[in-house]
Amino acid sequence: MVRCHVKRLFNVSFSGLLTFVLLGTLLNMESIIQYGSLRGQLLVDYIGSNLIVEYIRSENNHLYIQLTNNGSVKIPGGNWSLFFTHVAGLYDVAEEGSKAITTSGVILRHLSGGLYSLEPIRTGRRHTLFAGLKPNQSLIILEHADLNSKWYSFPNWYVTGYRLEPRVIQSTYMKRPHVDYKFDRWPPEKRYIRNNVRNLNRSVKAVIPTPLSVKIAQGEVTLDRQWSVAYDKDFFNEALFLADELHMKLAKFNNDLSATPKKIVRLTRKNISACLAKNKSSPFTKFNDSKRLYLEEGYTIKIKNNSIDICGQTGAGIFYGIQSLLSLLENSVDGSTLPLLRIIDAPRFEFRGLLCDTARHFIDKYEILNTIDLMAIYKLNQLHLHLTDDEGWRIEIPALPELTEVGSRRGHDLQEEQCLLPFFGSEPTESSHKRHYYSVQDYRDILLHADAHHVQVIPEIDMPGHAHAAVQSMRVRYMRMKRNNISEESASKYLLQDFKGTLWHLGVAQQRDSVMNPCIESTYTFITKIIQTMMTLHRDTQPLKRLHLGGDEVSVDAFTDSPACIALAKKMPEIKGNLRHYFIKRIMSICKELGVRIQMWEEGFAFVNDRDISNKADLVVNAWLQTEAAYHYANRGYKVILTHAHKFYLDHPYEPDGDELGHFWATRYTDSRSVFAFMFNGELGSPRNSTFSKEQSCRALQFTDCVELKSPENIIGMQASLWGEFILSNEDFEYMLCPRLLAFAERAWHMADWETASTETELRQLGDADWTDFANTVGYKELPFLERMGIRYRTPVPGFRIRANIVEANTEFPGSLLQYSTDGGNTWNTYNEGNPPEKSENLSFSVVSHNLLRRSRIIRV
């Protein structure tokens, strides 16, 4: 293992270990304490091995942190500090910087973000107010811990001291401390009602997402190795993909595809709008404006006895037709039989995206490649990679190696000269064999794989806020160059802060020093270098169509005392109090000069004057706070992506329960049905969302200007976002992603009949019927398919109700393997709807994955 802060540590650690070995042979631990010898590395090691960390609820319902000495000797005051992550509450400590708990003789300090330290209060060089912690004695260090979920506690608390090696508290190593939370969770009876979907005993939908039109005829056709793939000259890559998937041969290219042999899959260019116009019974007729469909990615499939024709205008359309064909094969028992049918299909939106937060939790290249596969299967076409944030920089910039040498690493380095602090429960040491960023080759591999699957990668370099990793890395670059006697001009070329101002400004996430200074020219030199590098990385693989520049959550007073900003305001009085507008205007000018289209979060464009923009259609807005903002921007001519936090942020838990992984903030929960039920033009005053009129809804939400959506053509798509603050592993990532992503893909691609319902009754009837079909398809078909892909999706939690001493149970997705136990979970039986069990003392229910490897939470009766 390699420490970030390595100065003179190895020798000290070795001597501490040698002392322990020698003394251990002569004295027991009690005598060590008696003679005052438990100090230094020996003390740190002992605390790491014997301290128990718990969140305990008091009689007055307050939650506090309890530290218990589980060892056989007393923990004295001395040269030690305890470090931990806590993301809820403690705002007073963060604002003040520290809080002394004099009754316990310790002081709590805020370092940055969610990282805190606890240490004895010193009264002299060798004396502290801390009286020590005897064996089995507990210390309460904090009340009002403000946790409503066990996931709000983070693993890898650690202890260290000056010039000592850190040690992870073993009771928290790679696991979250116990939380005795009290939360109004769903009772099983409410979950039973929520899950109350009729079991149709089969997969209903031919394909997910649902096509516009599917007409099934009599008969079937079986694919075998005698089949081959013929293709239009522009569709070679798609033909190669299909041939590889189905182990078919590529037929010799022939300009006259009609002359190809029997048992052939033909990939042909065809105008989709003409197909839709001929199909009078298609749901397309419900769209008053053909622009509501993105025809460039539309396709048709026609399956006959000896041929399959897939037609589309573009390679993407052909590719999605292939994905639908492969999905149809998943319906067959033998994986090779297809019904004779005709499909006509096209997406409702051009942009169907997924954000992956690789900055907070690094998602390795192979997990990203698997995610691209998953996106392609469900016809999502935009991968928004959140590459940078306060807690991490994840893309190699060869000209600025400090960004990854420092900004991609975490560990115990309080000055952050070798790495960042260990945010979000990271270990104080990191393995020298792991790389937590994408090398140039890694990134190009991602781009190549995405391009082959018709997924456009949109990299995000967050600025000017959420930029601590960049700010600190460039500060380290400056200091290193100055120590090597490099000139001030060269050393400060990419500096992102003004040393003469406040360096420790507290950002929106209690992160210190997290905003790029908009008043120094080196900030724009840095941004230009980053954009140029990103363009180069994309050039030979997938041209950079759009760059996301963040722009969100920047404090208005970040640089009120910066000498550079004060001086700039004297030269340019119009920017005083409006530095964010000045910054955005500058980076828009840089991007225009470099030929890069900009995408930002809605706050970024909030500080832009429309008169400064020559073509607003080139600017893309992620509207995440509320529908009202999306309407405002769309009506002003911006292109808008619906990224609603309360519907599409997948970092929320699946249900309001403290045992569910997730962050309670924009909403209590986001389950698959909530995502599925989203209505594009009906968030305000719709039958599904409210019995109020749109004007009443606006008043209830305290909107001062109730906006009509007058330019729906500027709403170009939808995006789901999976933020990484609570993600600790790839398994967590997949759990939070699926199966909700399938419901999101359904809404991003397909406009359902119930979305145009005129009454609440019609909406409920059509919506419930569509959800029943979708839920059965997910349970009987898609979840087993995800398992075969290796996706560790969330196994649905059962609900139950008791009627006449009989316990009836169900699950969100019919077809899931619902089981019950009568002996407390030692043995399990398959649940039978026709013969449910009787109520008993040890009766419990659970859902097991189809491969029997994972089990849902156990619900006890």
Side-chain angles (χ1 to χ4, degrees), residues 299-313:
Y299 66 92
T300 65
I301 301 177
K302 190 172 184 179
I303 301 176
K304 297 188 290 187
N305 286 320
N306 292 304
S307 66
I308 299 173
D309 288 288
I310 300 177
C311 303
Q313 295 177 198

Side-chain angles (χ1 to χ4, degrees), residues 81-84 90 93-94 96-101 106-122 414 512:
S81 298
L82 187 66
F83 296 84
F84 62 97
L90 297 187
V93 181
E96 297 297 327
S98 64
K99 178 180 180 180
I101 308 174
V106 295
I107 186 168
L108 183 66
R109 303 183 192 277
H110 175 248
L111 302 178
S112 189
L115 192 66
Y116 293 82
S117 70
L118 183 84
E119 62 187 41
I121 297 175
R122 294 187 174 277
L414 298 183
R512 301 184 186 277

Side-chain angles (χ1 to χ4, degrees), residues 356-373 383 385-387 394-395 408 433-439 441-443 445-447 449 727-734 792:
C356 295
D357 180 4
T358 70
R360 273 65 170 267
H361 167 73
F362 180 63
I363 308 168
D364 64 70
K365 179 182 77 172
Y366 298 102
E367 187 71 12
I368 291 293
L369 298 181
N370 290 338
T371 302
I372 291 171
D373 291 341
L383 176 60
L385 283 180
H386 187 71
L387 293 170
R394 306 302 185 187
I395 181 68
S408 75
H433 302 295
K434 291 183 179 180
R435 177 161 41 82
H436 292 92
Y437 66 90
Y438 305 118
S439 67
Q441 188 58 52
D442 287 338
Y443 192 68
D445 290 344
I446 290 171
L447 293 177
H449 194 72
I727 304 297
L728 299 181
S729 65
N730 288 345
E731 186 172 1
D732 286 350
F733 174 76
E734 294 169 11
R792 293 159 290 188

Side-chain angles (χ1 to χ4, degrees), residues 355 384-388 458-462 548-550 552 601:
L355 176 145
H384 178 170
L385 283 180
H386 187 71
L387 293 170
T388 73
I458 302 172
E460 179 180 357
I461 309 297
D462 214 340
H548 202 296
L549 296 177
D552 61 315
W601 301 103

Side-chain angles (χ1 to χ4, degrees), residues 455-470:
V455 172
Q456 181 70 36
V457 175
I458 302 172
E460 179 180 357
I461 309 297
D462 214 340
M463 62 180 71
H466 288 285
H468 175 72

